[in-house]
Amino acid sequence: MIRIRSTVAASLLALGMIASGAVQAADAKADAKPADARPAAAPLAAQTGMVAWYGRKFAGRRTASGERFDPAKLTMAHPTLPFGTRVKVTHLGNKRSVIVRVNDRGPRTPGRIADLSHAAAKALGMLKKGVAEVRLDPQP
C-alpha cells in the first residue's frame, strides 16, 4: 500500500511538473515574436568617393533590378544598396545635388562607388569630365 501511494504521488508530481512546464512554454510562446518579424532596418550610412556615368549605349537594356535602363531618368547603379533606395548625390566640387533611385548593380570599375545615369550626371554638372567625387546620402 505504501508503494502504491508513493507511485501515485510520484505520478501526480510528474503530471504537475508537466502541466507547469506546458503553461510556462505557452507563456513563452505568447511572448515570442513571430518568426517573420524582422528588426527595424538600421539607417544606411553615407559614402564618399568617385562616381562615373553611363548612358545611351545601355539604353533599353535590362538593369539588375529587371527594369529597362533609361538614361533620361535619375537612376544609379550601386553594389549593395537595395533596389528602390533613394539617394541624395552631392558633387563635392560644385555642391550641386540630385536625388536618384538605385535600379542597377555596379560599378564594375575599381575605385568607384557608383555609376549614375546620364540625366543624373547632367544635373550634377559632370558630363564633360565623366567622373566626380561625391557624397551619397541614402534617404529615409
Side-chain angles (χ1 to χ4, degrees), residues 20-30:
S20 172
V23 169
Q24 288 175 353
D27 287 344
K29 200 174 211 181

Side-chain angles (χ1 to χ4, degrees), residues 8-27:
V8 170
S11 297
L12 289 173
L13 181 61
L15 283 174
M17 291 172 69
I18 291 170
S20 172
V23 169
Q24 288 175 353
D27 287 344

Side-chain angles (χ1 to χ4, degrees), residues 57-133:
K57 82 175 190 180
F58 295 100
R61 292 188 191 178
R62 295 242 181 236
T63 64
S65 67
E67 69 182 77
R68 294 204 180 271
F69 176 65
D70 182 350
K73 290 187 177 179
L74 298 173
T75 58
M76 175 176 81
H78 189 276
T80 59
L81 288 174
F83 294 132
T85 301
R86 303 230 178 252
V87 180
K88 181 179 179 183
V89 182
T90 305
H91 188 304
L92 297 179
N94 63 19
K95 305 302 182 205
R96 292 166 88 176
S97 65
V98 64
I99 295 182
V100 299
R101 182 178 49 85
V102 176
N103 73 336
D104 203 1
R105 292 291 173 231
R108 306 255 189 271
T109 305
R112 296 206 182 128
I113 61 171
D115 281 331
L116 302 173
S117 66
H118 181 272
K122 184 176 182 181
L124 292 175
M126 60 173 278
L127 283 179
K128 187 173 182 179
K129 189 168 181 185
V131 295
E133 187 173 7

